[in-house]
Amino acid sequence: MKESKIIFGQMIDYFRKQNNLTMEELGQKLGKATSSISRWVSGERYPKIEEIEQIANFFNTDIYTLIFGFNYNEDSKSDLLTVYNQLTDIRKHKVYSYAQQQLDEQTDNLNEHRSIYLVGSSAAGLPLDYGDLDAELIDLYNIPKKADKAIHIKGDSMEPKIANNSIIFYHEQPTLEIGEIGIFEINGSAVTCKKYYVDYESKKIILKSINPKYEPMYFARDQVRILGKVVF
């Protein structure tokens, strides 16, 4: 239990830094005191299950990654069962209800098999030139229900969430919420996959990587066109 608290604190701190937030700013966005965030980060305390869900949604990740880190495996499942067995019946019911809800959403969001257009490649690093983006109709399993197009990712700037050489899906839409992952056209001639932010003071669009080795990219508004939101 102590080890999982420490891992949870490390993951909170990792995602906090990825989003360029101080503990105070994170607390404000989550509606929590800075002291609460500090105790989570230090491994002193765990948030409630509904708070973990809120945090996972805010950082666009899942509760298992928050609790067990990026190396989630079979041993982690055993740890989860150990923690679950220590809960009271009421808290066990809350955990079960949450897990059932997530399973229902996953079932709703995934189709067993259908066709979708693969529209070339997108960078996860510096933007890639379009080249010939002839769409190819492909058959895949587990395509998210809201997906309109698929695209091939080249580069590691969105790792560990999006791996190099993977195929991801996106829903075509012209707008994004702050912090959402999208596919972007740059200067009408290149495409990239990044997290979306806006600097309202300078009126710049900021495209951020998840991989910390990559610096954010700044563009004028007329340089960027949102092609869609990445869906999982």
Side-chain angles (χ1 to χ4, degrees):
M1 183 68 172
K2 182 178 179 181
E3 181 181 354
S4 61
K5 283 184 179 180
I6 292 173
I7 293 174
F8 180 83
Q10 292 172 340
M11 296 309 298
I12 286 285
D13 211 34
Y14 170 82
F15 285 115
R16 176 184 69 81
K17 291 175 180 176
Q18 287 298 299
N19 287 272
N20 295 321
L21 296 172
T22 65
M23 287 196 214
E24 181 179 4
E25 290 170 335
L26 178 58
Q28 291 173 349
K29 290 184 178 295
L30 296 176
K32 303 296 293 184
T34 305
S35 57
S36 296
I37 305 297
S38 178
R39 284 195 288 269
W40 295 346
V41 169
S42 67
E44 180 183 343
R45 296 193 63 181
Y46 249 157
K48 298 175 182 178
I49 184 65
E50 57 268 24
E51 291 174 329
I52 295 178
E53 179 183 0
Q54 177 192 8
I55 295 165
N57 289 335
F58 177 76
F59 286 129
N60 197 28
T61 185
D62 57 80
I63 60 173
Y64 304 106
T65 299
L66 284 178
I67 295 173
F68 299 113
F70 293 125
N71 296 320
Y72 176 65
N73 52 32
E74 291 299 322
D75 291 336
S76 300
K77 294 180 183 178
S78 177
D79 291 341
L80 180 60
L81 184 59
T82 299
V83 172
Y84 177 81
N85 287 334
Q86 296 179 55
L87 297 173
T88 64
D89 288 342
I90 292 177
R91 293 185 181 277
K92 283 180 179 178
H93 178 70
K94 287 182 178 179
V95 171
Y96 176 81
S97 297
Y98 174 77
Q100 186 62 54
Q101 175 192 346
Q102 294 300 303
L103 180 59
D104 290 343
E105 288 182 4
Q106 176 177 289
T107 302
D108 289 341
N109 287 336
L110 296 178
N111 294 329
E112 287 187 0
H113 181 270
R114 69 183 175 100
S115 298
I116 194 167
Y117 279 103
L118 177 68
V119 290
S121 299
S122 170
L126 295 176
L128 288 177
D129 289 338
Y130 268 123
D132 296 323
L133 278 185
D134 293 332
E136 173 190 1
L137 191 63
I138 59 174
D139 292 327
L140 291 174
Y141 287 91
N142 293 339
I143 297 174
K145 188 175 181 179
K146 293 183 178 180
D148 298 314
K149 300 282 179 61
I151 197 163
H152 182 209
I153 293 296
K154 293 185 178 180
D156 64 352
S157 76
M158 297 302 285
E159 291 184 346
K161 191 168 186 64
I162 299 175
N164 180 28
N165 285 323
S166 61
I167 292 177
I168 63 169
F169 306 94
Y170 68 93
H171 172 65
E172 293 180 305
Q173 59 184 66
T175 62
L176 289 171
E177 297 292 330
I178 299 299
E180 288 185 328
I181 299 175
I183 303 297
F184 304 90
E185 177 187 283
I186 309 298
N187 292 322
S189 61
V191 63
T192 190
C193 175
K194 288 287 180 286
K195 296 186 78 172
Y196 174 77
Y197 294 90
V198 178
D199 185 334
Y200 293 101
E201 185 174 342
S202 66
K203 298 182 180 179
K204 295 282 189 180
I205 301 297
I206 309 172
L207 302 184
K208 293 184 180 180
S209 303
I210 293 176
N211 190 330
K213 75 178 184 180
Y214 290 91
E215 295 292 329
M217 298 187 295
Y218 294 79
F219 299 95
R221 289 179 182 270
D222 61 1
Q223 291 181 290
V224 178
R225 182 168 72 94
I226 297 170
L227 299 180
K229 175 183 174 181
V230 173
V231 292
F232 297 96

